[in-house]
Amino acid sequence: RKVVALEAGRARHLLDSARPLCAALPMRKRVAVAGFAAGGLAALDEIERRGFDALAHRCRPRRSRLLRWWTAILGNATSRGRR
């Protein structure tokens, strides 16, 4: 579990870097990158919620959490980037 927690933290850091990247992309690519990052962040939230025991539990993110991350990333990129 400690290794999964460590790797989840590293993955979260990398996925968080999508926010400034999205601000520099045209809208169509911004939506795609934000969706990818949102899916990863939602999955990491679920793994964390399950106590980083990804083998004993099915760690499938909820759609509401995925949508929340997607809108957060897109909203942040849209307010700072090109329109």
Side-chain angles (χ1 to χ4, degrees):
R1 290 183 188 185
K2 290 180 182 178
V3 173
V4 174
L6 173 72
E7 293 300 328
R10 293 176 67 200
R12 186 175 299 278
H13 176 72
L14 290 171
L15 290 167
D16 278 338
S17 66
R19 291 174 192 248
L21 173 63
C22 283
L25 294 173
M27 185 54 81
R28 186 175 231 168
K29 292 177 183 176
R30 182 182 304 172
V31 169
V33 170
F36 178 83
L41 289 166
L44 289 173
D45 285 349
E46 185 63 20
I47 290 170
E48 185 176 351
R49 190 176 79 79
R50 298 288 188 160
F52 298 103
D53 194 1
L55 296 177
H57 303 284
R58 184 173 180 198
C59 297
R60 184 175 178 174
R62 296 179 179 149
R63 287 185 184 180
S64 61
R65 180 121 351 173
L66 173 66
L67 198 59
R68 191 176 324 144
W69 274 115
W70 188 68
T71 56
I73 294 169
L74 266 182
N76 188 20
T78 303
S79 66
R80 291 191 313 160
R82 298 183 302 188
R83 292 184 187 246

